Amino acid sequence: MELPFAESWKIKMVEPIRKSTREEREKWLAAAHNNVFMLKAEEVYIDLLTDSGTGAMSQGQWSAMMLGDESYAGATSFYKFESTVKKLFGMRYVIPTHQGRAAENVLFSYLVKPGMVVPGNAHFDTTKGHIEARGAKAIDVTCDEAKDTQLEVPFKGNVGLKKLEKVLKENKGNVPFMVLTITNNTVGGQPVSMKNIRETCELCHKYGVPVNMDSARFAENAYFIKTREKGYENKSIKEITKEMYSYVDSMTMSAKKDAIVNMGGFIATKKKDWYEGAKSFCIPYEGFITYGGLAGRDLEALAVGLDENTEFDMLQTRIHQVAYLAQKLDEYGIPYQRPAGGHAIFLDADRILPNIPKEEFPAQTMTCELYLEAGIRACEIGYLLADRDPVTHENRFGGLDFVRLCIPRRVYTDNHMDVIAAACKNLYDRRNEITRGVKITWEAKLMRHFTVQLERLGK
Ligand code: F0G
């Protein structure tokens, strides 16, 4: 008999979690204004809000932390981190930051000016926020296939090259860089192929536009290239990573994802002028250029995390768990962005709750329902997160409306996946009874989904 698949690690430390009653959850959700970001973590049974900073570090990372050099300037830990980044990505200049959006803040402060245009394959919300807050425009150039959630194609995160060329042509001289996000979080953790990375970069460079790789989940992207793209099956994750970054000019990274640290990020670039420019923003925003908002011990954990998580077994274990959950949802006929992505399952709320109009935010409604059903905290990646158009102030209903079930790395077991799938099934079975959604009672101007206050209609 062939042996079944199992994790490439074993568990050394555990953290208790607690179930709650529906009555308790009703009370807690109301107190949180029907926004799951406002719940206390102890009110949550299974936390699928994000895979960001929520992973379980390895013994290698924890032991490296004891070697943290906490010198203000020139810490040994910085040089270890810098050499790992240089080796993995082939980038000459490296600036640490406390997380991904801080890297965006520092680099974009130097590069983005009012009236500029920044194309990208579905900019993440903080990335879009940092562009729009500077009076520039973020234009989505993701391939059209991403919009059809039931279409099964291997690289749904790809850039639509024709769309990109149109933006580059129409805005000559006004595009400071293009953002290439791997994997494409917003459309479902969908990967970008090596071919598309190469062609996107060639096209941008033809128009004199540099490419910045938004790298939060680069290792998962490399895993998909290895397992789905012809010619890469025998290459290592590290070799694939090296090739992906050979085409781009710079990277910003939220290390809280694929480096499996609780906090951390960085900018790396091949461009000396960008490095010099960004450096001067790092100091006032993040701190001196050899720590950038991080403790020496954080830099140690980050370096080890990057190295360990660019090994195939680690990624295979992770992606296998996401696929396991997807397979359960398939058994129950629950629609999600197909095929399953790297870090999460994106449930298609428009299809699951057809009785809820867009104006009543179907994905947010479902996020509330899932919490009430089983204490599972998911995250709306849809019309709320899309924010209002900065010019018209209208809600942006043009994109997809997802409930993201985001799986932290090495934290939950497949038994937890079974619970999640069963809760989704219960909700799906009574989908026709859910006829009213939610209404905004208070919202922030930018990145409103974090703090929005909502009312459940008909309650
Ligand atoms: N880019 C991408 C693709 C991201 O997914 C994130 C964060 C960031 C940049 C910003 O990084 O959080 O370290 O400041 N995504 C998290 C998520 C928050 O839940 O998907 P950060």
Side-chain angles (χ1 to χ4, degrees), residues 221-391:
N221 201 90
Y223 173 89
F224 284 120
I225 288 176
K226 181 175 170 71
T227 53
R228 292 184 184 171
E229 192 165 349
K230 208 163 167 284
Y232 290 93
E233 47 282 74
N234 296 321
K235 295 223 152 93
S236 70
I237 298 294
K238 285 189 166 68
E239 284 167 339
I240 294 171
T241 300
K242 209 53 182 284
E243 183 179 338
M244 293 193 302
Y245 285 88
S246 70
Y247 303 119
V248 301
D249 303 272
S250 69
M251 64 190 290
T252 43
M253 170 138 184
S254 168
K256 298 167 74 171
K257 284 82 168 175
D258 272 354
I260 322 189
V261 288
N262 302 118
M263 197 54 71
F266 60 90
I267 302 165
T269 180
K270 298 171 187 169
K271 292 171 76 67
K272 188 166 192 298
D273 53 334
W274 284 20
Y275 173 65
E276 297 296 341
K279 243 169 46 177
S280 59
F281 288 98
C282 181
I283 294 171
Y285 289 153
E286 293 291 297
F288 188 61
I289 51 172
T290 59
Y291 75 84
L294 294 171
R297 56 182 171 273
D298 296 334
L299 290 164
E300 294 277 345
L302 212 171
V304 174
L306 278 173
D307 185 41
E308 287 180 352
N309 203 39
T310 41
E311 290 299 328
F312 182 75
D313 286 358
M314 211 47 93
L315 291 157
Q316 188 186 31
T317 297
R318 165 167 200 45
I319 309 253
H320 184 274
Q321 185 169 54
V322 178
Y324 174 83
L325 175 58
Q327 188 195 325
K328 286 263 152 195
L329 297 176
D330 284 344
E331 277 173 36
Y332 306 143
I334 302 171
Y336 58 86
Q337 173 70 298
R338 308 188 70 86
H343 65 300
I345 299 291
F346 285 61
L347 299 173
D348 187 347
D350 265 342
R351 277 173 194 267
I352 296 173
L353 297 180
N355 297 328
I356 311 283
K358 286 183 166 44
E359 293 71 23
E360 293 183 14
F361 301 99
Q364 181 61 23
T365 305
M366 204 178 142
T367 303
C368 291
E369 291 289 340
L370 193 59
Y371 174 70
L372 294 173
E373 176 68 34
I376 294 167
R377 173 158 69 172
C379 179
E380 193 253 23
I381 303 269
Y383 304 143
L384 265 184
L385 179 133
D387 270 341
R388 288 175 190 272
D389 184 288
V391 180

Side-chain angles (χ1 to χ4, degrees), residues 50 99-101 104 124 126 185 214 217 254 257 404:
T50 180
Q99 61 183 92
R101 69 199 68 185
E104 292 161 1
F124 182 67
T126 61
N185 182 6
D214 182 348
R217 301 176 184 87
S254 168
K257 284 82 168 175
R404 184 179 72 170

